[in-house]
Amino acid sequence: MSNIDLTPLYRTMVGFDRMATMIDTASRLDGTQGYPPYNIERSGENAFAIEIAVAGFTEADLDIETKEGQLTVAGKKGENEDGDGREFLHRGIAQRSFIRRFQLADHVIVTGAALHHGVLRIDLVRELPEEKKPRKISIGTDEARSEPKLISKKAAGSAA
């Protein structure tokens, strides 16, 4: 895999060094990311869903975890589940163990998961905190302008 040079971006963007870390992490993922197949869907302005084809897995075989902005889905199958005397001439439905990782954007949380007809659906939503949401700033006139007033937490506490 070739290296990506992000130097031109750093010349015009400030505070995006976390992006380089995310790209580096994504490039180090192992090449076995083809199984199981998955879809990522936008189901609303701030809502998303990940659907993973997990045929043959039950809820007990699957583990979903989020940690430090990364969603990890793991499926664990027993070593030998052919103990029921079945003899396969062709086994095309893969039921091997897997780990699938997804990097979540800031403020994206998992709201639920469901397994239906061999498809695991994980619902996600982006919830911006109030201080991150855009807010309208009113424009005053020259007559209303005065010296800027900064109220520190210490001054606000002693004024009360």
Side-chain angles (χ1 to χ4, degrees):
M1 182 175 188
S2 63
N3 291 334
I4 300 171
D5 183 17
L6 299 175
T7 307
L9 289 176
Y10 290 134
R11 290 184 196 136
T12 58
M13 301 174 104
V14 177
F16 285 88
D17 37 323
R18 183 168 174 254
M19 181 177 63
T21 305
M22 288 174 32
I23 291 172
D24 185 48
T25 301
S27 68
R28 282 186 279 137
L29 292 175
D30 58 346
T32 61
Q33 289 293 311
Y35 176 78
Y38 66 93
N39 295 329
I40 300 176
E41 168 189 354
R42 177 184 295 265
S43 55
E45 185 177 337
N46 289 313
F48 307 91
I50 299 173
E51 294 178 328
I52 305 173
V54 290
F57 287 84
T58 65
E59 289 92 345
D61 298 329
L62 298 168
D63 184 37
I64 304 169
E65 178 182 280
T66 59
K67 181 179 179 184
E68 297 177 3
Q70 188 172 60
L71 171 67
T72 304
V73 180
K76 297 196 181 359
K77 289 300 269 185
E79 291 296 320
N80 188 3
E81 297 205 357
D82 297 336
D84 56 3
R86 299 186 324 177
E87 180 182 345
F88 291 96
L89 300 178
H90 170 74
R91 191 163 195 166
I93 301 174
Q95 293 184 354
R96 63 184 181 266
S97 297
F98 68 88
I99 296 178
R100 172 76 71 179
R101 292 182 179 88
F102 300 92
Q103 187 69 39
L104 301 178
D106 292 338
H107 312 295
V108 172
I109 59 169
V110 176
T111 59
L115 182 63
H116 188 66
H117 295 300
V119 176
L120 175 65
R121 180 181 174 94
I122 303 169
D123 294 310
L124 306 129
V125 67
R126 181 182 310 135
E127 290 185 352
L128 286 177
E130 282 300 318
E131 63 269 6
K132 298 281 185 178
K133 291 181 181 177
R135 59 187 174 105
K136 187 76 173 168
I137 308 298
S138 61
I139 301 172
T141 62
D142 282 340
E143 294 86 35
R145 186 171 39 169
S146 62
E147 289 297 315
K149 297 176 186 173
L150 296 177
I151 301 174
S152 68
K153 290 181 182 182
K154 183 177 178 183
S158 63

